[in-house]
Amino acid sequence: MRRVLAVFGAVAMVTAAVVIRQALDGDDGGGGGGGGGGGGDTVLVCAEDLRDACNALGDGIEVRVQAAADTAAAIDDGTLEDDVDAWITTTAWIEVLTSRAPDALTEDVRPLATSPAVVATAPNRFEAIESLCSGEDVWSCLGGKAGEDWGDLGDGSNSEWRELKVGLTDPDSAVGLSVLASASAGFFGNTTFAANDPAFGEFEGWLTTLAEPSAGGDPDPSRTLATRPGTYSAAGAVAAVADRFAERGVESIEPDTVVAATVVVVGLDGGRLPDVDAARDVLLDAGWSRASEEDLAPTLKPGVMAALHSLWRAVTS
């Protein structure tokens, strides 16, 4: 098995000087049940938005549910409970911790499932957005036009839709950080941009406007599209999540630069990696694809994922 985390750590240490470091804050995600309940032989922290998968775990595993950002903060500042053995999260958060606390994670990581980040469109707005963004990356297009009135956006638009608003899956969640990376890649046109890129100043303003409609944190904007008409015209989500609402008219557009959310189980310092095949199977049944070790490769340059999360916190506070 490739020692991907070791690669993450070695490169991140070299470039740590460019990381935009900001303390993670937020309320404790709290407990939550799943699997064997209290007193299990192995203790597993599960990202809150992956709760359904973790609930499939059986006896011998105690599951504690918490927002991914809160777990990362606890690992970073050393306050995570000593009895925690492993963490179910996404590779995006491994990239964050590789920058912030490179010695906290073990090299023991297992890929479970993966799904690309997409732009989900509100019912009856797929064709209008596809036309509006023709010839341009959908994220670059939506970010540039966010906040404008639909009546001023040309053919296929409808003034009754009012302002073009875009929602983003909360980047404090496991999958939401990958969605933020996808939107960012749309602005820069690639995944090779650095935290000290000269365009980062312009990007901050772009992200501020894009993030405003969901700045309070939306754990599932694709659901919002389907159940609360008029909240957003489009939303950043993971395909496997957005596809649940296809029967309600939610359709998806794949950005030019594909960024995937990959769910993993990773061992914490001194911990044991449990058998979480049941959690993987739940994800596969929900439309995710089976992940391989190739999916463990870093999405962005060292330090950039942490910088993006810090920037999100800054522009939405």
Side-chain angles (χ1 to χ4, degrees):
M1 176 176 179
R2 297 182 307 165
R3 299 300 190 181
V4 177
L5 290 179
V7 176
F8 282 172
V11 181
M13 298 262 310
V14 176
T15 59
V18 302
V19 178
I20 300 174
R21 180 85 183 257
Q22 182 177 23
L24 290 165
D25 54 14
D27 296 335
D28 182 25
D41 295 331
T42 303
V43 178
L44 176 77
V45 173
C46 178
E48 192 169 22
D49 50 321
L50 302 173
R51 177 194 297 262
D52 289 347
C54 294
N55 281 346
L57 299 177
D59 294 339
I61 300 176
E62 178 187 345
V63 175
R64 300 173 186 171
V65 177
Q66 188 177 53
D70 292 339
T71 305
I75 294 172
D76 186 14
D77 63 23
T79 60
L80 188 71
E81 294 88 344
D82 291 338
D83 61 345
V84 176
D85 297 296
W87 182 23
I88 287 188
T89 184
T90 55
T91 55
W93 282 102
I94 293 177
E95 292 184 52
V96 170
L97 264 299
T98 298
S99 298
R100 293 179 173 167
D103 297 328
L105 304 178
T106 72
E107 296 177 5
D108 201 0
V109 57
R110 186 184 308 160
L112 301 180
T114 188
S115 184
V118 297
V119 171
T121 61
N124 302 316
R125 300 196 193 183
F126 173 82
E127 292 182 358
I129 292 174
E130 193 174 50
S131 175
L132 178 69
C133 298
S134 177
E136 185 179 3
D137 178 83
V138 65
W139 274 123
S140 176
C141 165
L142 291 177
K145 295 176 173 60
E148 295 186 29
D149 193 289
W150 266 107
D152 298 328
L153 293 177
D155 295 340
S157 60
N158 186 331
S159 60
E160 294 182 0
W161 295 342
R162 299 184 179 180
E163 184 180 342
L164 194 165
K165 296 182 179 180
V166 181
L168 292 174
T169 302
D170 189 352
D172 282 354
S173 67
V175 302
L177 189 54
S178 297
V179 172
L180 176 59
S182 175
S184 304
F187 173 87
F188 288 98
N190 55 64
T191 58
T192 60
F193 61 96
N196 60 351
D197 191 300
F200 230 85
E202 180 184 351
F203 171 67
E204 180 175 352
W206 182 90
L207 181 61
T208 300
T209 303
L210 182 70
E212 194 278 330
S214 56
D218 190 337
D220 192 349
S222 53
R223 179 185 295 276
T224 303
L225 286 177
T227 60
R228 294 168 51 194
T231 304
Y232 311 127
S233 295
V238 170
V241 176
D243 288 349
R244 296 175 303 163
F245 304 101
E247 292 185 356
R248 297 194 182 194
V250 174
E251 300 181 70
S252 296
I253 299 173
E254 189 172 277
D256 290 349
T257 302
V258 178
V259 171
T262 298
V263 179
V264 297
V265 57
V266 56
L268 301 180
D269 190 16
R272 296 165 295 174
L273 202 60
D275 181 353
V276 294
D277 287 351
R280 179 203 59 206
D281 292 343
V282 169
L283 292 169
L284 297 183
D285 288 343
W288 294 70
S289 299
R290 184 183 294 269
S292 69
E293 290 191 6
E294 292 182 357
D295 296 308
L296 298 178
T299 302
L300 304 176
K301 282 189 171 183
V304 177
M305 196 71 77
L308 289 179
H309 185 260
S310 294
L311 183 61
W312 168 271
R313 284 286 183 90
V315 303
T316 58
S317 61

